[in-house]
């Protein structure tokens, strides 16, 4: 009888232990599932961090490039305006006119000693020329030359009085292209004759 009680007690204990083991196993599996989910979230978070770092790097590179472009555009201001001094008449049509009174020379690209403007950058340049004919009996004939080739011709004549002629043109120029002016029968008094150029794009 005593033996049967012991055996019964053992069975009850074993049954309880089995129940506890099943519960512990279930909890362990559940915990393992939670751990796996946490690991997945951590991995996803790491991926998100890498993606965020990549996007930040792209934004920084884009900002740097944009800043460089803006700084380059700011530094690319180019333009000059110059007029002639004194009185100049009956010059050769092949002579380069030297507009020696420099009013503006942003970028220092116009040389008053040679009368030549040198483009420092590729781009669109607005070039203008105003000249005065030598009296009522003579016609004025002037050329704007781009790298030695005629880019524009200015003609003016009036049989009763002096005549002024003006030309404004836009040229697609490359860096180091050169522009200058030649004319015949030019009569310059004061600042009536002017030459200018400006980078517009």
């Amino acid at each position: 009888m005593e033996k049967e009680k012991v055996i019964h007690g053992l069975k009850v204990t074993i049954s309880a232990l089995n129940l506890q083991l099943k519960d512990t196993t279930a909890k362990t599996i559940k915990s393992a599932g939670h751990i796996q989910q946490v690991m997945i979230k951590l991995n996803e978070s790491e991926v998100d961090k890498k993606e965020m770092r990549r996007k930040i790097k792209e934004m920084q590179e884009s900002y740097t490039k944009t800043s460089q472009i803006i700084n380059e555009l700011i530094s690319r201001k180019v333009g000059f305006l110059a007029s002639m001094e004194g009185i100049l008449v009956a010059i050769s049509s092949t002579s380069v006119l030297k507009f020696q009174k420099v009013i503006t020379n942003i970028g220092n690209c116009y040389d008053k000693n040679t009368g030549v403007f040198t483009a420092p950058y590729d781009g669109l340049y607005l070039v203008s020329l105003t000249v005065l004919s030598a009296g009522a009996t003579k016609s004025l004939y002037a050329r704007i030359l781009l790298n030695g080739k005629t880019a524009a011709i200015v003609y003016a004549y009036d049989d009763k009085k002096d005549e002024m002629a003006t030309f404004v043109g836009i040229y697609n120029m490359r860096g180091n292209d050169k522009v200058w002016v030649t004319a015949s029968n030019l009569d310059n008094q004061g600042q009536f004759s002017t030459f200018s150029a400006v980078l517009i794009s």
Side-chain angles (χ1 to χ4, degrees), residues 98-114:
K98 298 176 182 179
F99 297 79
Q100 295 186 325
K101 185 176 178 59
V102 178
I103 301 165
T104 303
N105 196 8
I106 301 172
N108 199 33
C109 298
Y110 173 72
D111 186 347
K112 69 178 183 178
N113 297 314
T114 63

Side-chain angles (χ1 to χ4, degrees), residues 87-150:
I87 297 175
L88 183 63
V89 295
I91 62 173
S92 169
S93 61
T94 59
S95 298
V96 178
L97 295 185
K98 298 176 182 179
F99 297 79
Q100 295 186 325
K101 185 176 178 59
V102 178
I103 301 165
T104 303
N105 196 8
I106 301 172
N108 199 33
C109 298
Y110 173 72
D111 186 347
K112 69 178 183 178
N113 297 314
T114 63
V116 176
F117 168 74
T118 303
Y121 309 109
D122 296 357
L124 290 177
Y125 288 80
L126 186 146
V127 179
S128 67
L129 172 67
T130 297
V131 285
L132 177 68
S133 64
T137 61
K138 294 184 178 179
S139 60
L140 174 139
Y141 185 78
R143 291 175 182 267
I144 295 177
L145 292 100
L146 174 58
N147 296 327
K149 296 182 179 180
T150 300

Side-chain angles (χ1 to χ4, degrees), residues 25-115:
T25 301
K27 289 181 179 179
T28 302
I29 292 172
K30 188 175 181 180
S31 297
H34 286 319
I35 292 171
Q36 187 176 9
Q37 290 177 359
V38 170
M39 293 298 295
I40 291 173
K41 288 182 178 180
L42 286 173
N43 290 333
E44 289 176 350
S45 177
E46 189 63 30
V47 170
D48 290 341
K49 287 180 181 179
K50 288 181 180 179
E51 180 66 16
M52 186 176 295
R53 285 195 291 267
R54 185 186 67 80
K55 289 182 178 180
I56 291 173
K57 185 178 180 181
E58 288 181 352
M59 291 173 64
Q60 289 174 335
E61 291 175 349
S62 177
Y63 173 78
T64 300
K65 290 180 180 179
T66 302
S67 297
Q68 290 174 345
I69 292 172
I70 292 173
N71 290 332
E72 183 180 355
L73 289 174
I74 292 173
S75 66
R76 279 169 51 116
K77 289 183 179 180
V78 177
F80 86 95
L81 171 63
S83 65
M84 301 192 72
E85 293 182 318
I87 297 175
L88 183 63
V89 295
I91 62 173
S92 169
S93 61
T94 59
S95 298
V96 178
L97 295 185
K98 298 176 182 179
F99 297 79
Q100 295 186 325
K101 185 176 178 59
V102 178
I103 301 165
T104 303
N105 196 8
I106 301 172
N108 199 33
C109 298
Y110 173 72
D111 186 347
K112 69 178 183 178
N113 297 314
T114 63

Side-chain angles (χ1 to χ4, degrees), residues 153-170:
I153 298 175
V154 177
Y155 177 80
Y157 173 75
D158 191 307
D159 60 357
K160 295 181 180 179
K161 63 182 186 301
D162 292 348
E163 184 69 13
M164 295 185 73
T166 297
F167 170 82
V168 179
I170 296 175

